[in-house]
């Protein structure tokens, strides 16, 4: 196993190809490092200028007076080779090679990549790339990416991505959200994996005290067996969510052209993921929602769901999805039904799924509070799905207190929410923000996420690490 | 077939149970009618007040001086019977019964519903409900719903929903969008279908010149054979999108409790939908996205997709989804490849899926424009999927012109878009708004929507109405 900490925790860094021009990657990356308050030494390297973004620029890393732990290469690939010698002389420990145009473009690029790999191996310098956007380590205040992030949210997720700019765009979307943001403490884009890869990142994330959830976007797996063997041990402590496209012949062909990844029999790989306890997401939406679910909520201890809705139609649709995904509607206890009957109109018998729309006559806040808490506290429910109709007819102040009370009363029972509506939905989302209460864009995604957590919870209960493999 | 136009096109209406209290349904519905500029006569009926929202109130409809075409009943169910006599005396043509608490609550409610049905039949008055939120007919400026809509967007979709408040919440969410809004010209919530039902609405929507796309949320089908037989004829002229939950035993049970709908064998029903050419959505997200796709774009004439991306990773994921949904990556012509090579970096050979990220060095606008238009104009593509990375690194002004040009150059070829990103995504979405260019929240939903359109297009090409059935 290679130690990725040389990369993620540098005391000083140099940006070769730093630029004064705002549109250049060598400017954006440097700016990102500075505005996010990295506390180590920062050395822009550029032979044509004296100073960039308030930092003295040097012609070469050999001119830098102090030590350099980490070097960013923001130059076309052909210039990197010569500069590796300088890195060796300066005793540089790690490097990020941003340039694209290597194995992902075919035979010529593969040859260049082989040369670069040899250089890296000879140097002993730990590298990510080529073809990477950079990385983020919030515990080092280090946001080193050529997509500018000024508002990165720290949190319990370690996110590794094969592809740089794709990961950058996903993160840009996540971090631009004003509600329901997820927190990411470490993020690395591996690129073509000339040296460090997903297995190294997995090992680091496993031991990282800031990380509770590990999420990996993979196109190829550089070292399949070591990866699976490690994952088998890691998953006992932390869930590993995997997005591995290239499932089909068409996708695999595109992947080979994109990253030079070799095609793997997806059926075998899928089987291995299941066997070793990795949670596989089928597409990007699921990948992001699983991250939210796992990082926000406790694991469900069973399959019995309490379903609180404000429209019978939502109860029907959610029931279909629950059945599709292996869940049961809980048998609510008599005391819960009695508690609910208190505020239902006299003509409406309580049933499950609960439909509380007509009950709102008794008071919007009362009915939301009693509806959610009574089902949550029912001893027969293992998790609760709440489908709200965020309409002005149902509006009230105090949704935040209800969810806070819910969490206090049942800290170990997952609460998943779906909201339908316009303005009031935005109000309620803001109101409960920061409570780690996940709200999903669709009932299907909510229930798929809950299923992923339930599956992982069973895997972790039942399967101990296999002594032969680990 | 019953004529639903008596309901949808009244020259005058009365709201029995109109209220001065803003929180009451009888207030919101009246307000909705008024603020949306209904041009017919409006008569609030309330024995305890002189005037509501600027309109003179009457103690009874019998006191109203003029004719009344349509009556809304906003009273508890037990008061409706007596008032039906008044309606007959006033020669009322149609009624909306809002009250819930009928067959959906069990035996007692079913008995009350039977009585009401008898009354309705005897009266000859055309009804929707009970258990409905109302209806909307934009061609009559009539927005009659107890969820207040002040900003309803007219358009080519006729939307029928079984469940009132659910449909209201969905519409509230759709109409609150600031971009990518879909337009709905007619919307009816059938409720318990004591009289008029989905088959009547389908007939009306078929003949309605404002309607191009018909979308139906159904729990039960009141008259299965007439509905299917009619649908078989309608689908030749207009696509019919169906969301029919209650697929599973759990869902069917919830549906029986919700609307009193009888369980239907879902496998048989699904088969019938396919045979008769109805496009079935699996869940609410698909239902809404299909509406957008069908109402915004032309039908794809074939399976060959041009895939324009700005990250190899998106190309891989989209390729998987294309394969999953029966599509092929088009063989781009030599002249297209030549056109693309002009702006790709020298080290990058053009390949399909196109990955244009590195090409952006040649200019953000140029590369987006040339990338999209060259693939769109390729004779080998039947439709184009564009996956944009909306990052500041890729930003430019003029996205709207590119999409406008695209539509002008290829009016009959569908263009589907997915965007990943934060601030720039919001900018681009605003920029192209109003062009009927659908942007999807996920690649999967984009490709599923395209598949639905392709399926329908083949159905329409191949299957003529069956003379025996129609």
């Amino acid at each position: 196993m290679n130690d990725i900490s040389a990369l993620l925790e540098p005391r000083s860094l140099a940006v070769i190809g730093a630029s004064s021009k705002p549109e250049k990657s060598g400017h954006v990356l440097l700016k990102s490092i500075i505005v996010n308050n990295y506390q180590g030494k920062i050395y822009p390297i550029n032979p044509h200028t004296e100073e960039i973004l308030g930092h003295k620029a040097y012609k070469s890393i050999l001119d830098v007076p102090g030590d350099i732990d980490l070097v960013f290469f923001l130059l076309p690939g052909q210039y990197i080779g010569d500069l590796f010698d300088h890195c060796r002389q300066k005793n540089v420990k790690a490097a990020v090679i941003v340039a694209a145009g290597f194995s992902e473009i075919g035979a010529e690029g593969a040859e260049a990549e082989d040369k670069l790999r040899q250089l890296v191996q000879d140097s002993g310098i730990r590298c990510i790339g080529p073809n990477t956007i950079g990385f983020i380590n919030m515990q080092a205040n280090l946001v080193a990416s050529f997509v500018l992030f000024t508002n990165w949210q720290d949190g319990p997720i370690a996110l590794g991505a094969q592809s740089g700019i794709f990961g950058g765009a996903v993160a840009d979307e996540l971090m631009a959200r004003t509600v329901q943001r997820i927190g990411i403490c470490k993020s690395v884009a591996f690129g073509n994996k000339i040296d460090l890869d997903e297995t190294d990142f997995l090992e680091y994330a496993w031991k990282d005290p800031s990380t509770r959830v590990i999420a990996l976007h993979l196109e190829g797996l550089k070292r399949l067996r070591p990866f699976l063997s490690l994952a088998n041990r890691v998953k006992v402590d932390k869930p590993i969510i995997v997005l591995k496209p290239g499932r089909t012949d068409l996708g695999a062909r595109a992947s080979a052209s994109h990253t030079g990844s070799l095609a793997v029999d997806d059926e075998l790989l899928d089987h291995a993921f299941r066997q070793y306890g990795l949670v596989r997401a089928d597409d990007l939406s699921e990948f992001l929602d699983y991250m939210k679910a796992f990082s926000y909520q406790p694991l469900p201890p069973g399959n019995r769901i309490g379903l609180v809705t404000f429209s019978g139609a939502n109860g029907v649709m959610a029931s279909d999805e629950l059945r599709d995904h292996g869940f049961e509607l809980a048998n609510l206890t008599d005391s819960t039904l009695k508690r609910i009957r208190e505020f239902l109109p006299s003509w409406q018998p309580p049933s499950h799924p609960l439909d509380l729309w007509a009950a709102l006559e008794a008071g919007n806040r009362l009915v939301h509070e009693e509806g959610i808490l009574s089902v949550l506290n029912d001893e027969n429910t293992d998790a609760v799905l709440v489908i709200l109709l965020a309409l002005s007819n149902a509006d009230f102040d105090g949704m935040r207190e209800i969810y806070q009370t819910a969490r206090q009363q049942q800290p170990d029972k997952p609460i998943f929410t779906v909201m339908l509506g316009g303005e009031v939905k935005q109000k309620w989302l803001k109101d409960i923000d920061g409570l780690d209460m996940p709200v999903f864009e669709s009932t299907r995604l909510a229930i798929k996420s809950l299923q992923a957590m339930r599956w992982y919870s069973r895997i972790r209960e039942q399967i101990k690490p296999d002594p032969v493999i680990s």
Side-chain angles (χ1 to χ4, degrees), chain A:
Chain A
M1 212 62 62
N2 300 306
D3 191 358
I4 205 168
S5 60
L7 177 87
L8 293 178
E9 302 164 12
R11 290 159 305 175
S12 56
L13 59 84
V15 179
I16 302 182
S19 168
S20 305
K21 294 177 189 155
E23 73 278 12
K24 291 283 182 190
S25 299
H27 184 89
V28 180
L29 186 130
L30 182 64
K31 186 172 171 185
S32 175
I33 292 169
I34 294 168
V35 300
N36 284 287
N37 295 315
Y38 173 64
Q39 296 298 309
K41 297 273 188 197
I42 300 172
Y43 304 111
I45 309 295
N46 182 322
H48 308 299
T49 186
E50 295 292 309
E51 187 231 276
I52 304 175
L53 290 166
H55 287 258
K56 178 174 164 49
Y58 296 86
K59 290 200 189 325
S60 148
I61 59 168
L62 296 179
D63 299 330
V64 171
D67 289 341
I68 300 174
D69 279 356
L70 171 65
V71 163
F72 292 87
F73 286 103
L74 283 130
L75 300 167
Q78 65 266 34
Y79 301 114
I80 296 171
D82 294 344
L83 293 167
F84 249 86
D85 258 352
H86 295 183
C87 292
R88 280 209 284 210
Q89 291 176 49
K90 279 296 280 186
N91 198 25
V92 165
K93 295 185 178 58
V96 174
I97 302 172
V98 170
F102 288 91
S103 58
E104 79 277 12
I105 64 158
E108 201 181 329
E111 204 176 302
E113 187 165 303
D114 284 341
K115 276 189 194 157
L116 191 58
R117 181 179 296 106
Q118 195 58 52
L119 267 176
V120 169
Q121 277 177 7
D122 294 348
S123 71
I125 295 170
R126 309 266 65 145
C127 282
I128 55 166
N131 202 2
T132 176
I133 186 185
F135 70 88
I136 283 146
N137 176 4
M138 291 304 283
Q139 280 58 54
N141 292 324
L142 184 47
V143 179
S145 140
F146 71 76
V147 172
L148 182 62
F149 295 107
T150 55
N151 191 23
W152 191 277
Q153 175 146 328
D154 192 9
I157 299 168
L159 171 64
Q162 172 107 25
S163 168
I165 194 60
F166 162 74
V170 169
D172 193 49
E173 177 148 336
L174 291 176
M175 295 306 164
R177 289 187 186 162
T178 54
V179 292
Q180 293 283 312
R181 299 179 84 202
I182 57 175
I184 299 173
C185 58
K186 309 282 182 303
S187 183
V188 172
F190 312 119
N192 293 9
K193 306 177 196 167
I194 205 170
D195 180 33
L196 295 165
D197 62 22
E198 55 277 350
T199 310
D200 306 312
F201 182 69
L202 181 60
E203 169 113 41
Y204 182 90
W206 183 22
K207 295 171 184 165
D208 175 34
S210 306
T211 298
R212 279 196 291 111
V213 176
I214 301 166
L216 299 171
H217 162 252
L218 305 168
E219 288 200 5
L221 268 155
K222 201 171 121 193
R223 298 175 285 152
L224 184 58
R225 293 185 131 269
F227 175 82
L228 291 173
S229 163
L230 176 65
N232 195 35
R233 286 185 289 155
V234 174
K235 67 106 193 299
V236 179
D237 297 321
K238 300 178 181 182
I240 307 167
I241 305 165
V242 176
L243 178 63
K244 166 70 182 73
R247 290 181 281 108
T248 63
D249 59 327
L250 216 57
R253 222 179 299 148
S255 183
S257 143
H258 171 220
T259 57
S261 298
L262 292 177
V264 198
D265 182 322
D266 193 75
E267 212 174 313
L268 286 179
L269 190 60
D270 197 67
H271 184 75
F273 283 163
R274 284 173 192 282
Q275 192 187 349
Y276 290 88
L278 290 91
V279 180
R280 187 176 193 177
D282 286 338
D283 75 352
L284 180 60
S285 302
E286 289 183 16
F287 188 56
L288 300 180
D289 274 352
Y290 290 5
M291 281 192 236
K292 183 156 79 172
F294 276 93
S295 66
Y296 277 13
Q297 290 289 298
L299 297 172
N303 286 338
R304 302 167 307 165
I305 307 300
L307 184 46
V308 180
T309 81
F310 290 79
S311 119
N314 284 123
V316 176
M317 288 183 232
S319 295
D320 277 341
E321 297 288 347
L322 288 175
R323 176 60 94 225
D324 286 346
H325 295 93
F327 290 104
E328 294 291 341
L329 275 174
N331 285 315
L332 300 181
T333 61
D334 287 343
S335 74
T336 299
L337 294 176
K338 195 176 158 215
R339 194 169 158 187
I340 289 163
R341 204 175 280 121
E342 302 267 317
F343 54 84
L344 282 183
S346 57
W347 51 261
Q348 188 182 0
S351 63
H352 195 207
L354 269 184
D355 171 5
L356 300 179
W357 183 259
L360 291 176
E361 296 249 316
N364 289 344
R365 165 144 190 180
L366 170 84
V367 172
H368 281 86
E369 183 156 15
E370 280 293 293
I372 293 171
L373 295 181
S374 62
V375 173
L376 179 70
N377 283 311
D378 191 304
E379 65 195 36
N380 287 343
T381 61
D382 297 313
V384 175
L385 177 62
V386 181
I387 306 182
L388 300 174
L389 296 193
L391 295 168
S392 53
N393 316 47
D395 193 22
F396 63 96
D397 294 326
M399 191 62 96
R400 186 178 186 85
E401 285 142 54
I402 295 176
Y403 274 90
Q404 273 173 325
T405 307
R407 181 46 74 237
Q408 281 157 12
Q409 292 185 354
Q410 293 291 341
D412 298 325
K413 206 180 272 193
I415 305 170
F416 280 45
T417 303
V418 176
M419 286 188 200
L420 278 175
E423 273 179 45
V424 175
K425 176 174 171 177
Q426 297 312 313
K427 177 192 155 183
W428 286 356
L429 282 171
K430 280 198 193 93
D431 200 29
I432 66 168
D433 203 48
L435 298 180
D436 282 1
M437 286 291 172
V439 179
F440 297 84
E441 277 308 299
S442 78
T443 302
R444 186 177 164 274
L445 282 168
I447 293 175
K448 275 217 87 168
S449 301
L450 194 60
Q451 180 194 37
M453 290 181 78
R454 178 61 195 144
W455 181 82
Y456 170 70
S457 144
R458 294 187 58 194
I459 288 284
R460 212 173 61 163
E461 283 160 21
Q462 292 170 6
I463 303 181
K464 298 286 169 237
D466 178 342
V468 179
I469 290 176
S470 68

